């Protein structure tokens, strides 16, 4: 399909609109993860709607010493990928277009959630991210906006901002896209050498180890619940020395919970710290996605197992959702 490249807000606003407008916000260097977002946006917009992909490397969300200058800029390739995935428009404004008169003096504050995990590792990052998201939502005026779940804390903060400040737009999260070896797709993957990439696989490996530990625990809980609680059956099983309920109760009691999930993931990361080149861990966290605080024993409901680490000069993040309290919840 033909994809139109627009550079100014006036041109975007002058475009005739029909149906729903879905927006996908990116910093360019598009890959299959972005293409998945665009295809999901196309489905939501429908044949009569419109998909707008924004391409803007936002200076406000890069801290001192981060990779703003070397962040890849590949607009021609981005335009082609966006069109193949179903975008009608690529909106690629300049910094002067987004921030006329220089960096804005009034910005969105990410609040307490924005100071945790990624916010603690990258002070001010989420203030800059929310400020540009707010700007682009106002400029693009979408009905729905889609974001990847790989940036789980970012997605949670955008949802909170839209809800708290009444933006009137639907926010949709799209599952993380992974390469065949499990590495989450990221524009920064291109910075990794072959040996660095092998080390980087410990991020997804740690998450999968935590997921598998979690699934085993949930299966134990489910199996214990399935044993009939009648006194007669318990007495018969006890007499035979085959009390499955007792065995499962002991296994559940010793299996752990959130702590065991963290421990399984950390074991993989600790091993990777001894690789050549080594993995340097920023954080491993198992959090409540509503506020990104650590969950404790007895927690039930949705959670996010998140990790951030450096390999060489490249910093990578990844996460998976887990559900505590029901069988089959690991993703």
């Amino acid at each position: 399909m033909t994809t139109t490249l627009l550079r100014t807000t006036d041109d975007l606003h002058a475009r005739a609109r029909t149906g729903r407008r879905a927006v996908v916000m990116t910093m360019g260097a598009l890959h299959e993860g972005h293409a998945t977002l665009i295809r999901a946006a196309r489905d939501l917009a429908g044949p009569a709607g419109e998909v707008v992909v924004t391409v803007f490397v936002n200076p406000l969300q890069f801290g001192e010493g981060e990779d703003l200058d070397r962040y890849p800029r590949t607009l021609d390739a981005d335009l082609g990928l966006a069109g193949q995935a179903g975008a009608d428009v690529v909106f690629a404004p300049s910094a002067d277009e987004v921030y006329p008169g220089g960096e804005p003096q009034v910005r969105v504050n990410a609040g307490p959630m924005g100071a945790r995990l990624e916010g603690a590792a990258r002070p001010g990052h989420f203030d800059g991210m929310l400020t540009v998201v707010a700007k682009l939502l106002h400029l693009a005026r979408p009905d729905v906006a889609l974001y990847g779940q790989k940036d789980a804390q970012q997605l949670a903060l955008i949802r909170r901002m839209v809800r708290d400040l009444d933006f009137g737009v639907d926010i949709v999260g799209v599952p993380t896209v992974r390469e065949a070896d499990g590495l989450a797709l990221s524009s920064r993957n291109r910075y990794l050498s072959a040996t660095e990439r092998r080390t980087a696989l410990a991020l997804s490996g740690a998450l999968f180890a935590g997921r598998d530990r979690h699934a085993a625990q949930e299966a134990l809980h489910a199996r214990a619940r399935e044993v009939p609680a009648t006194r007669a059956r318990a007495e018969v099983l006890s007499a035979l020395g085959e009390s499955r309920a007792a065995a499962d109760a002991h296994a559940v009691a010793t299996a752990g919970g959130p702590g065991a999930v963290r421990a399984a993931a950390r074991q993989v990361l600790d091993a990777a710290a001894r690789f050549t080149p080594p993995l340097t861990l920023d954080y491993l966290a198992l959090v409540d996605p509503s506020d990104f605080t650590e969950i404790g024993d007895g927690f039930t409901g949705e959670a996010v197992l998140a990790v951030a680490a450096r390999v060489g000069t490249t910093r990578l993040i990844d996460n998976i959702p887990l559900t505590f309290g029901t069988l089959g919840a690991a993703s």
Side-chain angles (χ1 to χ4, degrees):
M1 66 181 297
T2 302
T3 304
T4 302
L5 175 63
L6 300 179
R7 294 285 199 168
T8 70
T9 304
D10 287 344
D11 288 341
L12 183 60
H13 289 175
R15 185 178 174 86
R17 291 183 59 166
T18 58
R20 300 184 81 199
R21 174 176 283 180
V23 68
V24 174
M25 297 183 186
T26 82
M27 293 204 300
L30 302 188
H31 49 63
E32 180 57 27
H34 297 109
T36 299
L37 285 167
I38 297 167
R39 287 192 289 268
R42 182 77 272 161
D43 289 343
L44 287 174
E50 181 179 58
V51 175
V52 176
V53 176
T54 69
V55 175
F56 179 65
V57 182
N58 177 34
L60 297 190
Q61 64 195 75
F62 288 80
E64 185 176 351
E66 293 188 334
D67 56 354
L68 172 62
D69 291 337
R70 71 170 184 143
Y71 196 87
R73 292 161 172 82
T74 57
L75 184 57
D76 289 342
D78 293 346
L79 191 62
L81 185 147
Q84 291 172 8
D88 299 289
V89 174
V90 169
F91 177 50
S94 66
D96 287 340
E97 183 72 18
V98 177
Y99 302 123
E103 292 189 0
Q105 295 185 38
V106 176
R107 307 187 187 194
V108 177
N109 185 293
M113 193 191 337
R116 299 177 184 128
L117 299 187
E118 283 299 290
R122 306 175 65 190
H125 166 73
F126 285 127
D127 292 352
M129 179 277 295
L130 289 178
T131 298
V132 78
V133 167
K135 289 274 294 188
L136 290 173
L137 287 175
H138 289 314
L139 297 179
R141 301 172 183 172
D143 300 290
V144 58
L146 297 89
Y147 302 89
Q149 290 179 355
K150 186 180 84 70
D151 297 298
Q153 193 172 2
Q154 169 179 283
L155 175 59
L157 281 162
I158 292 170
R159 282 177 166 153
R160 172 72 69 164
M161 177 183 72
V162 165
R163 184 179 67 199
D164 287 355
L165 302 183
D166 298 312
F167 271 65
V169 58
D170 292 332
I171 302 299
V172 173
V174 177
T176 300
V177 178
R178 299 185 180 278
E179 300 193 40
D181 57 10
L183 190 67
L185 282 175
S186 169
S187 300
R188 290 186 170 92
N189 290 354
R190 68 185 65 196
Y191 299 153
L192 298 169
S193 68
T195 55
E196 288 173 341
R197 184 186 175 90
R198 285 195 290 272
T199 296
L201 291 176
L203 274 78
S204 56
L207 297 179
F208 298 159
R211 175 196 62 190
D212 293 346
R213 188 73 170 95
H214 168 70
Q217 291 174 188
E218 292 293 307
L220 284 173
H221 282 280
R223 194 167 66 189
R225 289 194 297 268
E226 288 170 1
V227 176
T230 65
R231 181 176 180 179
R233 177 168 172 77
E235 288 175 350
V236 170
L237 290 174
S238 180
L240 293 173
E242 297 174 356
S243 178
R244 188 68 169 274
D248 283 343
H250 174 74
V252 169
T254 58
V261 172
R262 294 184 185 95
R266 184 169 289 277
Q267 186 174 13
V268 175
L269 298 169
D270 287 346
R274 299 187 291 272
F275 290 174
T276 303
L279 179 142
T280 303
L281 183 65
D282 276 0
Y283 61 77
L284 171 70
L286 184 55
V287 299
D288 182 335
S290 68
D291 59 8
F292 271 69
T293 57
E294 291 279 354
I295 66 171
D297 293 338
F299 178 89
T300 60
E302 300 294 324
V304 172
L305 181 62
V307 63
R310 295 182 184 275
V311 182
T313 59
T314 304
R315 186 175 185 276
L316 300 171
I317 63 172
D318 200 354
N319 72 86
I320 55 172
L322 301 173
T323 303
F324 285 80
T326 58
L327 181 64
S331 74

